[in-house]
Amino acid sequence: AVLSIGSELTSGRTQDSNAAFLASEVRRLGGRVDEIRSLPDDLPAMARALRELARGRSLLLVTGGLGPTEDDRTRQALARASGRPLRLHRPSLEAIQARFRRAGRAMTANNRLQALFPAGALPLPNAQGTAPGIRMRLASCRVLAFPGVPSEMRAMWEPCRGGVARELGRPPLLLRRLHVFGLAESEVDRRMRRLMAPGRDPEAGLTVSDAVITVSLTSSSPARIAGDEKALRRLLGRAVFGVDGEGLAAAVVARLRRRRRTLALAESATGGLISHLVTEVPGASKVLWEGRAVYTVAAKRRLGVPAPLLKRHGPVSEAVTRELASRIRRVSGATYGLAVTGLAGPSGGTRKTPVGTCFLALAGPRGLQAARRIFLLGERALVKRRAALAALDFLRLSVGG
Amino acid sequence: AVLSIGSELTSGRTQDSNAAFLASEVRRLGGRVDEIRSLPDDLPAMARALRELARGRSLLLVTGGLGPTEDDRTRQALARASGRPLRLHRPSLEAIQARFRRAGRAMTANNRLQALFPAGALPLPNAQGTAPGIRMRLASCRVLAFPGVPSEMRAMWEPCRGGVARELGRPPLLLRRLHVFGLAESEVDRRMRRLMAPGRDPEAGLTVSDAVITVSLTSSSPARIAGDEKALRRLLGRAVFGVDGEGLAAAVVARLRRRRRTLALAESATGGLISHLVTEVPGASKVLWEGRAVYTVAAKRRLGVPAPLLKRHGPVSEAVTRELASRIRRVSGATYGLAVTGLAGPSGGTRKTPVGTCFLALAGPRGLQAARRIFLLGERALVKRRAALAALDFLRLSVGG
């Protein structure tokens, strides 16, 4: 079972993403979560639920309630549910103190609470925050308690996977994800229908996020997964850009590095988002020569776009976008210059150039390589995001293998 | 309580957005959800949980398990929990048949199941799908069961609000959120402890996301909320940057616009993220004169940072950051030049400049206004994000009112 603690969850202020993450992890390890529960920061209710959920189960995963504040009560609830007193764990206290020293801040008295553990429990180290997790047993059930901050919880879960797998004693399921860009969901669904028959091994699933379609294959057999991956790559062709944790920007950076190519960006509509996505990838400094957010006409002029061109075609136009791509390439000395202009809205649209119109242009070693007009639907942030992904994909397909 | 039914939830394939929606609705009507539970499509477990959750509560909201397939078992579970048989509800059957006729499709036999209701229950009409909801009582608890499709559930919830409000018999609650940057969670907690006493009105809560701390005040009295907001602003001072839906970038853009100031960015460590955050705000083009991602030494040189300075201090240094801020301000003609350098990792750290070291510098109308060294913990993406927020906040505090 998974138990999520926090009044922000039961009041609906925050959506619980931790429980879904942990449930899918347990599934990948061959286990099965048969209940997810969220409770407010109410000590008696928490202690009762811990006892209830531990009964007859081999594993109980808890998130939240380990912070330094008044209403963080998971450690007390675990103490109460197990009937054991809370004890100070000196190495944990020292780790918390060291953390505050490094950050040059004073530790408050309530951070000391985070070094208390039910007798017999062990800490789960937390490299990213002050709250260590808790590892203990309630009767015959193994309990792992993590902080509620998703990034901390995920990092702390990683080293627990091996122990949990042994506890569950089942062959782990393997998961392979293929990421697809540039095809509609219904088209991907149509092409891979045969692989999605109910009861088939691997089990195939399809999710969409921000126009990126992800196909998941789950099986305990590596050979079956490899077979279906091969079939999928045949069915979907160049639209498959990456696997597992690889995003579109990472795929582009990897290709550019492989071919020893470099990149410069002139972003109008996307306002720095492509540059942000590229610099999320470790090693991006080997590839990204320069990025410019040229949101205003003056910034475009400074990059060298002639005033008459801007006047004749308007800042959101193929001609200006081509010029931006060539100019940023020349100025930076990068192999490729990629430019995006567009109208993300909400205002500023005209009949000729409605909100959602975007232009992409790429200048490369053989001069201007390509330009494209796309039309995107959705609100401002979505148009911006999709334009950035479309530009990255445009680059990916132009750079090749 | 809220009960969500579906194996896709407990396997982690789907995140439960319905429960958070319903919990926040109940809260707005003056009620309080004290448990959220998710179960797989397992009939005995569902019937047991329905009985358990109805006990001692005035309202139980159920979502999911009302579809036409084999594993949709919510109606059977409600029948079993109430000890009443399932009966065919003819008007519901006719509505389902009419729906299929209108769509020009053949009705399958299992759609007939959707017209079965526990004796004494009433249907909740569903204008968007084939599955009607169920309204009934389990002992003294009112139960409302909705389909799991979020859009259908939300549309069907709407007409139930009045009845639920009467059932709860309480005045609706107002919510005010204050966003805080630059203080540790434990420090905010310490300062506002008095306002967080259990049972106090307004009820105060604290959540953290990406180093932004949000204080929520909930009360049925606008005057009490206003009073506590005033007290909080006194306790937290300038660390409060925005309210309700306003993010840090929006707060900065609003201030700059109010004072008719403009901004240019030279981003090394944050690689375009600040520019991206600023251009998420509608009207950012009035403020952001230019953004440059100057990730490489060559890009810093092109902006005019002298080679000897780079060589003497290294690219991640206060001296270079100050120079970047002054240069981008001069080149762009903006009121402010904001620059960030730093080491986001994972590699590249030295003893003098460990991973996580960031420098911020701001050049303004009176020359270099401020520079600051900060130290951030966490993985690459987190360091980058926190550096961007710290830079925006640095700018906010420097711009003033």
Side-chain angles (χ1 to χ4, degrees):
Chain A
V2 177
L3 175 61
S4 306
I5 300 294
S7 297
E8 72 279 12
L9 302 173
T10 50
S11 70
R13 283 202 303 279
T14 305
Q15 202 170 304
D16 182 13
S17 63
N18 288 341
F21 170 80
L22 288 172
S24 71
E25 285 289 301
V26 166
R27 192 174 137 74
R28 282 172 59 188
L29 298 176
R32 196 175 73 88
V33 167
D34 68 353
E35 181 168 339
I36 295 173
R37 210 183 271 198
S38 304
L39 291 177
D41 309 297
D42 169 340
L43 185 51
M46 286 159 67
R48 209 177 320 123
L50 285 167
R51 274 193 304 266
E52 238 177 86
L53 293 171
R55 202 173 299 138
R57 291 192 175 85
S58 48
L59 180 66
L60 172 57
L61 301 174
V62 183
T63 65
L66 293 177
T69 74
E70 199 60 3
D71 50 2
D72 287 304
R73 294 178 184 140
T74 296
R75 51 192 75 250
Q76 289 92 321
L78 282 166
R80 194 180 282 198
S82 61
R84 292 180 221 145
L86 282 173
R87 298 236 171 95
L88 184 72
H89 186 254
R90 204 152 285 281
S92 294
L93 180 63
E94 282 157 15
I96 296 170
Q97 287 167 333
R99 198 179 164 79
F100 274 91
R101 262 200 312 277
R102 275 201 308 277
R105 288 195 313 202
M107 184 177 133
T108 60
N110 40 13
N111 281 106
R112 198 185 150 88
L113 295 177
Q114 298 183 299
L116 294 179
F117 291 83
L122 291 171
L124 292 170
N126 179 352
Q128 290 181 34
T130 56
I134 300 176
R135 203 178 105 198
M136 63 185 289
R137 288 197 174 264
L138 279 177
S140 65
C141 180
R142 172 193 283 241
V143 180
L144 299 173
F146 303 95
V149 181
S151 58
E152 297 180 17
M153 181 277 288
R154 287 177 191 221
M156 290 164 72
W157 163 254
E158 209 43 53
C160 298
R161 295 178 89 245
V164 169
R166 277 191 299 281
E167 188 91 20
L168 296 169
R170 287 194 223 136
L173 286 179
L174 303 167
L175 169 69
R176 180 69 160 175
R177 288 179 299 154
L178 273 76
H179 306 298
V180 178
F181 195 89
L183 293 177
E185 183 185 3
S186 53
E187 176 62 19
V188 175
D189 183 71
R190 195 186 62 73
R191 293 199 198 173
M192 61 178 281
R193 177 120 343 140
R194 184 178 62 79
L195 303 180
M196 292 180 80
R200 197 168 180 288
D201 179 13
E203 191 186 327
L206 223 164
T207 53
V208 189
S209 168
D210 270 346
V212 170
I213 298 171
T214 298
V215 181
S216 309
L217 300 172
T218 325
S219 168
S220 58
S221 153
R224 282 175 182 278
I225 288 198
D228 268 20
E229 176 172 344
K230 217 171 133 190
L232 272 170
R233 286 184 180 273
R234 220 170 20 235
L235 292 166
L236 303 172
R238 295 222 300 163
V240 176
F241 68 79
V243 295
D244 298 335
E246 191 179 30
L248 189 48
V252 169
V253 168
R255 279 182 190 224
L256 289 168
R257 286 189 74 173
R258 241 184 345 255
R259 300 177 71 107
R260 297 180 188 283
R261 300 284 195 261
T262 59
L263 174 65
L265 299 164
E267 302 187 61
S268 180
T270 49
L273 175 54
I274 303 177
S275 175
H276 163 52
L277 292 173
V278 169
T279 56
E280 287 290 274
V281 183
S285 57
K286 299 272 189 304
V287 162
L288 186 65
W289 254 209
E290 182 164 339
R292 286 207 201 179
V294 288
Y295 217 57
T296 54
V297 167
K300 293 181 181 79
R301 290 286 314 281
R302 270 194 298 284
L303 190 53
V305 179
L309 193 78
L310 278 160
K311 196 152 178 218
R312 192 162 355 116
H313 300 277
V316 179
S317 60
E318 187 177 320
V320 167
T321 314
R322 292 165 74 128
E323 189 68 20
L324 283 168
S326 304
R327 294 280 174 175
I328 192 68
R329 176 173 182 271
R330 203 168 324 147
V331 162
S332 66
T335 325
Y336 293 101
L338 178 64
V340 187
T341 65
L343 277 173
S347 58
T350 64
R351 247 188 61 189
K352 211 183 111 205
T353 316
V355 167
T357 307
C358 293
F359 292 92
L360 314 176
L362 185 69
R366 288 158 306 186
L368 186 88
Q369 295 202 299
R372 206 163 124 194
R373 180 185 184 134
I374 53 174
F375 190 74
L376 299 164
L377 293 166
E379 38 148 31
R380 182 184 172 82
L382 208 65
V383 168
K384 201 175 150 193
R385 190 157 177 88
R386 294 200 169 157
L389 292 176
L392 281 170
D393 199 56
F394 183 59
L395 174 62
R396 173 181 75 93
L397 294 173
S398 308
V399 172
Chain B
V2 176
L3 175 61
S4 306
I5 300 293
S7 297
E8 72 281 12
L9 303 173
T10 49
S11 70
R13 282 202 303 280
T14 304
Q15 203 171 302
D16 182 13
S17 64
N18 289 341
F21 170 80
L22 288 172
S24 71
E25 285 288 301
V26 166
R27 201 171 140 73
R28 281 173 56 191
L29 297 176
R32 196 175 72 88
V33 167
D34 67 353
E35 180 168 339
I36 294 172
R37 211 183 269 197
S38 305
L39 292 176
D41 308 297
D42 169 342
L43 185 52
M46 288 159 66
R48 210 177 322 123
L50 285 166
R51 274 193 304 265
E52 238 176 85
L53 293 171
R55 203 173 301 138
R57 290 192 175 84
S58 48
L59 179 65
L60 171 57
L61 302 173
V62 183
T63 64
L66 292 177
T69 73
E70 199 58 8
D71 49 3
D72 287 304
R73 294 178 185 142
T74 295
R75 51 192 75 250
Q76 289 92 321
L78 282 166
R80 196 181 281 197
S82 61
R84 293 181 219 143
L86 282 172
R87 297 238 172 93
L88 185 73
H89 186 254
R90 205 151 285 282
S92 293
L93 180 63
E94 281 157 17
I96 296 171
Q97 287 166 334
R99 199 181 164 78
F100 274 92
R101 262 199 312 277
R102 276 202 307 279
R105 285 192 317 192
M107 185 177 131
T108 60
N110 41 10
N111 280 108
R112 196 185 151 88
L113 295 177
Q114 298 184 298
L116 295 178
F117 290 83
L122 291 172
L124 293 169
N126 179 352
Q128 290 179 37
T130 54
I134 301 176
R135 204 177 106 198
M136 63 185 289
R137 286 197 177 264
L138 278 176
S140 65
C141 179
R142 172 194 282 241
V143 180
L144 299 173
F146 303 95
V149 180
S151 59
E152 296 180 17
M153 182 277 288
R154 286 176 191 222
M156 290 164 72
W157 163 254
E158 210 43 53
C160 298
R161 293 179 92 244
V164 169
R166 276 192 299 281
E167 187 92 19
L168 296 168
R170 275 176 242 156
L173 286 181
L174 304 165
L175 169 69
R176 179 71 160 175
R177 288 179 301 153
L178 274 76
H179 306 297
V180 177
F181 194 90
L183 293 176
E185 183 186 3
S186 52
E187 176 62 19
V188 174
D189 182 70
R190 196 186 60 74
R191 293 198 198 174
M192 60 177 283
R193 174 116 349 139
R194 185 178 61 78
L195 303 181
M196 291 180 81
R200 199 170 178 288
D201 179 14
E203 190 187 327
L206 225 164
T207 54
V208 189
S209 168
D210 271 344
V212 170
I213 298 172
T214 298
V215 180
S216 308
L217 299 172
T218 326
S219 169
S220 58
S221 152
R224 280 175 183 277
I225 287 197
D228 267 20
E229 175 171 347
K230 217 171 132 189
L232 271 171
R233 285 182 181 275
R234 220 168 24 234
L235 292 166
L236 303 173
R238 299 221 296 162
V240 176
F241 68 79
V243 295
D244 297 336
E246 192 180 29
L248 190 47
V252 168
V253 169
R255 279 181 189 224
L256 289 168
R257 288 189 73 174
R258 240 183 348 253
R259 302 177 69 109
R260 299 181 187 282
R261 301 284 195 261
T262 58
L263 174 65
L265 299 164
E267 302 186 62
S268 180
T270 49
L273 175 53
I274 303 177
S275 175
H276 163 52
L277 292 173
V278 169
T279 56
E280 288 288 275
V281 183
S285 57
K286 298 271 188 304
V287 162
L288 186 65
W289 254 210
E290 181 164 338
R292 288 209 201 175
V294 288
Y295 218 56
T296 55
V297 167
K300 293 182 181 78
R301 292 284 314 280
R302 271 195 296 285
L303 190 51
V305 179
L309 193 78
L310 277 160
K311 195 152 177 216
R312 190 160 359 114
H313 300 277
V316 179
S317 61
E318 188 178 320
V320 166
T321 315
R322 292 164 74 130
E323 189 68 20
L324 284 169
S326 303
R327 295 279 174 175
I328 191 68
R329 176 172 183 270
R330 204 169 322 147
V331 163
S332 66
T335 326
Y336 293 101
L338 178 64
V340 187
T341 65
L343 277 172
S347 58
T350 64
R351 246 189 63 191
K352 212 184 111 205
T353 317
V355 167
T357 306
C358 292
F359 293 91
L360 313 175
L362 184 70
R366 289 159 305 186
L368 186 88
Q369 295 201 300
R372 206 165 126 196
R373 180 187 183 132
I374 54 174
F375 189 74
L376 299 164
L377 293 165
E379 39 149 29
R380 181 184 173 83
L382 206 65
V383 168
K384 200 175 150 193
R385 190 156 177 89
R386 292 197 172 159
L389 293 176
L392 282 169
D393 199 56
F394 184 59
L395 173 63
R396 174 181 74 93
L397 294 173
S398 308
V399 172

